């Protein structure tokens, strides 16, 4: 999952590189005294996730049923940013207090390369051939596998068919896909249809400018850093990012609901018809359904502007500070096995990253009643096949650079405290303060 970057609105600008430099200097080998067997000889393994990984109590109970001496407890952060803060803080304390299994979002993974020795190598026979090649590579740092992939985030367009009907637009998902350009869908066409919609509706076209920016950045080969050196590009000279920033904020004046993603107003927007479409990685379907209780009309169209796109995707790691490392490795391998990830998809919409699942009939035939019985298995498999198999380059400063630009966009789109140029100037100042 990834749901987070699955990017969320991030409010504090911190240089990832700086965080981990501090972490390394502050690290010690301290660890908790907890973790041993209880009076009955059972050990408790903790799993830290965020948002919704689809790991239900029933699924975790399956593991205990097969491993009677192990109890699994999951803690869930409300947002990925909260989970990242907890991870970095505890790494700075030498790993004390980290869960036995820690979930990590793809956008943080490059930051962990300098700290690879703080995580266990998860290479195992079960991993051979399990993953899409690019997903497997994303889980590696310092020549070892520190992250077992959970999901990927192939993107479609989710839409409110009732709002489309009221605005005189087609509602059938195939007709909506064609309306947005089908296989030749472009961002220009998405915005054009949006203007047609907003001319006939009181609702906005999409929820947030940052969501559109996230999608477009995910289609760039190397948005913020030079793949040949890993060094950050000058933000002042980054014309690709600046062009997207300008174009999206211009369109957002009429098309955005001006809502900060994951905030209370954004959540309320699902209840008050604030917007008609959303950038929709597969994991977003779970968030839409959970926030839209009592609101009907959502559907999914097998189409995405600019071709394919992937937003998010996560990993499970095993910190070396844990007290039950081998047991934690076994649990992480089990949770990320195809069988469990298919169940997670059914629960939360997190599309598996495991090769075997792409031909799993139970996944391919799955529908989602909340989304008008949309064949979500088929749709997101098709969207996954449209994703560029060479993922965008993300270096050690990626998370911080995304945060700076997202904050700049939110000052214009959500807070409306700055115009686009003033906010960009502030972004350049924040970039300089990173000292990259």
């Amino acid at each position: 999952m990834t749901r987070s970057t699955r990017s969320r609105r991030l409010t504090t600008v911190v240089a990832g590189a700086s965080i981990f430099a501090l972490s390394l200097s502050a690290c010690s080998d301290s660890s908790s005294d907890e973790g041993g067997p209880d009076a009955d000889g059972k050990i408790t393994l903790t799993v830290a996730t965020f948002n919704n990984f689809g790991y239900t109590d029933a699924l975790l109970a399956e593991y205990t049923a097969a491993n009677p001496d192990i109890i699994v407890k999951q803690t869930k952060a409300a947002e990925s940013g909260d989970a990242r803060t907890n991870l970095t803080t505890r790494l700075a304390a030498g790993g004390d207090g980290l869960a036995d299994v820690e979930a990590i979002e793809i956008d943080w993974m490059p930051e962990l390369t300098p700290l690879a020795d703080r995580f266990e190598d998860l290479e195992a026979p079960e991993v051979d051939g399990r993953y899409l090649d690019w997903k497997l590579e994303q889980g590696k740092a310092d020549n070892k596998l520190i992250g077992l992939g959970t999901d990927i985030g192939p993107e479609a367009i989710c839409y409110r068919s009732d709002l489309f009907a009221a605005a005189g637009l087609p509602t059938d998902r195939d007709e909506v896909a064609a309306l947005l350009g089908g296989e030749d869908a472009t961002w220009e066409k998405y915005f054009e249809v949006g203007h047609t919609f907003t001319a006939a509706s009181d609702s906005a076209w999409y929820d947030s400018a940052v969501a559109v920016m996230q999608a477009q950045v995910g289609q760039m080969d190397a948005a913020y850093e030079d793949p040949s050196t890993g060094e950050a590009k000058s933000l002042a000279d980054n014309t690709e990012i600046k062009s997207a920033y300008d174009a999206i904020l211009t369109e957002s004046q009429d098309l955005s609901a001006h809502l900060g993603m994951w905030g209370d107003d954004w959540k309320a927007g699902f209840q008050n018809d604030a917007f008609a479409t959303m950038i929709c990685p597969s994991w977003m379907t779970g968030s839409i359904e959970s926030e839209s209780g009592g609101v009907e009309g959502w559907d999914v169209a097998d189409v995405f502007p600019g071709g394919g796109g992937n937003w998010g995707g996560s990993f499970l790691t095993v910190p070396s500070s844990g007290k039950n490392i081998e047991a934690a490795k076994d649990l992480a391998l089990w949770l990320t096995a195809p069988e469990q990830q298919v169940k997670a998809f059914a629960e939360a919409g997190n599309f598996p990253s495991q090769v075997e699942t792409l031909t799993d009939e139970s996944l391919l035939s799955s529908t989602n009643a909340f989304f008008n019985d949309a064949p979500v298995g088929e749709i997101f498999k098709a969207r996954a096949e449209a994703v560029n198999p060479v993922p965008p380059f993300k270096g050690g400063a990626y998370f911080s650079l995304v945060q700076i630009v997202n904050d700049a966009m939110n000052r214009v789109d959500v807070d409306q405290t700055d115009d686009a140029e003033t906010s960009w100037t502030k972004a350049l100042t924040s970039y300089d303060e990173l000292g990259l």
Side-chain angles (χ1 to χ4, degrees):
M1 175 184 74
T2 272
R3 257 150 288 69
S4 122
T5 8
R6 288 169 244 191
S7 273
R8 312 301 194 224
R9 185 187 175 198
L10 303 165
T11 56
T12 304
V13 176
V14 183
S18 299
I19 284 176
F20 290 108
L22 174 62
S23 300
L24 286 168
S25 64
C27 279
S28 69
D29 289 328
S30 64
S31 59
S32 171
D33 292 332
E34 300 176 354
D38 63 15
D40 297 324
K42 299 178 184 295
I43 64 171
T44 297
L45 296 179
T46 53
V47 180
T49 63
F50 45 86
N51 297 324
N52 186 0
F53 272 59
Y55 297 158
T56 63
D57 290 343
L59 182 66
L60 300 182
E62 283 186 35
Y63 192 76
T64 296
N67 302 273
D69 293 335
I70 295 177
I71 298 171
V72 182
K73 292 186 176 179
Q74 179 180 203
T75 58
K76 292 194 287 187
E79 299 182 13
S80 64
D82 297 335
R84 177 179 174 273
T85 298
N86 179 71
L87 177 72
T88 56
T89 300
R90 294 191 183 283
L91 282 172
D96 190 19
L98 287 173
D100 294 295
V101 177
E102 288 275 344
I104 291 176
E105 190 174 75
I106 176 56
D107 285 356
W108 324 341
M109 189 60 78
E111 297 177 329
L112 297 177
T113 297
L115 294 178
D117 63 340
R118 298 283 166 174
F119 294 90
E120 291 298 301
D121 190 342
L122 300 175
E123 286 284 3
E126 298 96 311
V127 177
D128 290 344
R130 174 185 281 187
Y131 292 109
L132 298 167
D133 290 343
W134 58 269
K135 183 70 176 182
L136 181 67
E137 290 302 313
Q138 287 178 331
K140 294 181 179 178
D142 196 22
N143 296 315
K144 68 179 187 179
L145 183 65
I146 66 169
L148 296 172
T150 57
D151 65 316
I152 57 178
E155 295 170 298
I157 294 295
C158 289
Y159 67 100
R160 282 277 301 274
S161 61
D162 56 328
L163 299 181
F164 271 45
L169 298 183
T171 60
D172 176 81
R173 64 180 69 95
D174 291 336
E175 293 179 3
V176 170
L179 176 71
L180 296 176
E183 294 182 357
D184 299 320
T186 63
W187 286 106
E188 289 77 12
K189 186 65 174 178
Y190 178 67
F191 295 141
E192 176 188 322
V193 176
H195 286 291
T196 300
F197 172 83
T198 55
S201 175
D202 291 333
S203 300
W205 182 234
Y206 51 77
D207 55 333
S208 167
V210 161
V212 178
M213 186 67 172
Q214 175 72 28
Q216 293 198 12
V217 167
Q219 293 175 324
M220 299 175 186
D221 293 336
Y224 290 105
E225 292 141 310
D226 185 341
S228 65
T229 65
E231 295 181 354
K233 299 177 181 177
S234 165
L235 188 59
D237 298 329
N238 194 330
T239 56
E240 188 174 28
I241 287 295
K242 183 60 162 54
S243 294
Y245 171 92
D246 287 336
I248 293 169
L249 286 177
T250 297
E251 297 290 354
S252 293
Q253 294 177 35
D254 295 328
L255 302 183
S256 173
H258 311 296
L259 300 172
M261 293 191 74
W262 317 108
D264 290 341
D265 290 343
W266 180 80
K267 294 176 181 178
F270 289 91
Q271 296 291 323
N272 59 24
D273 302 341
F275 45 87
T277 70
M278 287 189 73
I279 305 301
C280 197
S282 55
W283 49 262
M284 187 67 84
T285 59
S287 298
I288 292 173
E289 182 174 356
S290 65
E291 301 297 345
S292 301
V295 176
E296 299 179 350
W298 280 101
D299 209 322
V300 189
D302 182 3
V303 66
F304 198 70
N310 182 79
W311 181 351
S314 296
F315 301 84
L316 296 186
T317 65
V318 175
S320 298
S321 56
K323 290 293 187 181
N324 299 290
I325 287 175
E326 292 307 315
K329 287 182 177 180
D330 290 343
L331 174 60
L333 284 165
W334 185 83
L335 284 171
T336 55
E339 297 84 354
Q340 280 61 255
Q341 289 303 139
V342 168
K343 294 176 182 177
F345 175 71
E347 176 65 25
N350 303 337
F351 197 81
S353 57
Q354 292 75 4
V355 174
E356 181 180 319
T357 64
L358 299 180
T359 56
D360 185 289
E361 185 56 33
S362 65
L363 182 145
L364 297 179
S365 63
S366 62
T367 61
N368 189 317
F370 179 79
F371 286 87
N372 191 28
D373 291 322
V376 289
E378 289 183 0
I379 289 174
F380 285 110
K381 178 178 184 288
R383 301 319 314 158
E385 291 174 343
V387 174
N388 187 340
V390 180
F393 178 77
K394 298 178 181 181
Y398 182 83
F399 185 90
S400 299
L401 296 168
V402 168
Q403 190 168 328
I404 285 173
V405 175
N406 284 356
D407 284 348
M409 298 195 78
N410 278 327
R411 284 191 293 267
V412 182
D413 180 54
V414 180
D415 303 332
Q416 300 184 7
T417 56
D418 296 69
D419 60 38
E421 284 308 312
T422 301
S423 193
W424 182 255
T425 299
K426 291 180 179 179
L428 297 181
T429 299
S430 296
Y431 174 89
D432 290 341
E433 290 173 350
L434 291 180
L436 299 174

